[in-house]
Amino acid sequence: MSNPIFPTIYIPHGGGPCFFMDWTRGPADTWDTMKGWLQNLHKILPRKPKAIIVISAHWEEDVIRINSQPHPPLYFDYYGFPPHTYELTYPAPGSPELAKQIQALLRNADIDCALDPDHGYDHGTFVPLKVMFPDADIPVVQVSLQHNLDPVYHIQVGAALQSLREQDIFILGSGMSFHNMDTLMRGQDIGNHAATFDHWLTNTCESKPDERNKRLGNWLNAPSARQAHPREEHLLPLMVVAGAGGNNQGKNIFQDNVMGVNVSAYQFD
């Protein structure tokens, strides 16, 4: 029997360096459930990945850019956290070879893209990966969003990359399925928008692939869409991994309630 190909997965990456500090902006255990789940996520993968592609909510460019830096630095692109969280390390190597392969696949799909030899890992990449793969021994290539944030376009980006799954490459989308900072800071979801949107998103991701992609492409028509995502950069990594999921069925693999809102993770295999 042939080995199963890798799933694609969209995860919530928490708030800043939340997994590596004493949380004081709510209950101390706010992020414990999510951290525990991320620590065990590797167990659902068929094998140790040969490389990881991360699409993070925190990198946008005019055209898709691909990190081709062999030894990417860390970007501490969060503010107001304890000093020690700006000294975290994650020395995972990059992979210029994989970056070139990604570039070729995107260009073959008529998707504008460029290699970026300077970009490092932002916190949407290094924070969850430090929890998931703490040994930092798997090459990582970060791929940007395109700043127009067109959902259909990002589904197409993912579709262009799906063949990489057959090479034991793990395609990971890093964001938050609910990302309204006013609601999160308030700690109360007046109007129940998070639960409403979460229900729609799960139903959508678990639909047949053609219907799933159609609904994701029209996500603004979902109930509570803009209340869940006043700006959709934290949702767009889901579009990429759904596209990379191809004809594989999606499923909700994690649900949590943090800071008063529902958040979920999705797998396509």
Side-chain angles (χ1 to χ4, degrees):
M1 294 180 62
S2 61
N3 289 331
I5 67 171
F6 265 68
T8 67
I9 297 179
Y10 169 78
I11 62 165
H13 62 221
C18 61
F19 308 122
F20 302 101
M21 57 177 283
D22 294 327
W23 190 254
T24 59
R25 305 180 185 192
D29 64 352
T30 293
W31 302 103
D32 287 2
T33 299
M34 189 180 297
K35 182 178 182 179
W37 177 75
L38 289 171
Q39 286 173 328
N40 288 287
L41 185 60
H42 68 279
K43 295 178 181 178
I44 69 175
L45 300 178
R47 296 167 294 286
K48 183 176 179 178
K50 291 181 179 176
I52 304 170
I53 297 171
V54 180
I55 301 91
S56 167
H58 294 281
W59 188 20
E60 299 174 30
E61 297 285 354
D62 289 345
V63 301
I64 298 291
R65 296 183 73 87
I66 306 149
N67 177 11
S68 59
Q69 162 67 249
H71 302 287
L74 302 190
Y75 292 153
F76 296 100
D77 54 340
Y78 42 71
Y79 306 95
F81 289 97
H84 77 271
T85 64
Y86 298 89
E87 299 173 2
L88 295 172
T89 61
Y90 196 72
S95 176
E97 297 79 13
L98 177 56
K100 291 177 183 177
Q101 191 175 1
I102 293 168
Q103 181 187 39
L105 288 170
L106 293 178
R107 286 182 171 175
N108 286 342
D110 294 324
I111 294 170
D112 288 340
C113 62
L115 298 179
D116 191 321
D118 302 314
H119 198 80
Y121 301 145
D122 62 49
H123 79 274
T125 293
F126 77 80
V127 167
L129 288 186
K130 191 173 177 67
V131 178
M132 297 165 65
F133 300 100
D135 291 339
D137 60 349
I138 302 172
V140 178
V141 173
Q142 187 171 333
V143 176
S144 80
L145 299 173
Q146 201 277 337
H147 82 92
N148 286 341
L149 304 181
D150 180 341
V152 174
Y153 184 84
H154 286 84
I155 292 170
Q156 293 169 346
V157 169
L161 302 179
Q162 64 179 299
S163 64
L164 294 172
R165 298 166 56 198
E166 300 173 5
Q167 301 177 32
D168 289 359
I169 293 171
F170 179 30
I171 300 175
L172 181 70
S174 176
M176 287 282 279
S177 60
F178 181 95
H179 196 257
N180 183 323
M181 294 306 297
D182 288 343
T183 299
L184 289 167
M185 292 298 99
R186 189 168 58 234
Q188 182 182 8
D189 181 17
I190 299 170
N192 208 33
H193 295 298
T196 298
F197 186 75
D198 187 79
H199 177 77
W200 177 88
L201 196 59
T202 293
N203 182 269
T204 293
C205 289
E206 295 181 348
S207 299
K208 292 181 179 180
D210 286 347
E211 178 66 16
R212 170 189 81 213
N213 291 344
K214 180 180 178 181
R215 292 177 65 173
L216 287 175
N218 292 289
W219 77 276
L220 277 169
N221 293 325
S224 298
R226 274 303 181 207
Q227 290 86 354
H229 292 277
R231 190 175 187 276
E232 57 267 39
E233 78 286 343
H234 275 72
L235 186 64
L236 266 291
L238 171 62
M239 313 311 186
V240 180
V241 299
N247 289 322
N248 292 122
Q249 199 77 18
K251 58 186 175 183
N252 186 313
I253 57 170
F254 175 71
Q255 290 184 305
D256 197 5
N257 187 284
V258 292
M259 301 176 74
V261 305
N262 297 63
V263 295
S264 289
Y266 298 96
Q267 175 175 328
F268 303 89
D269 63 357

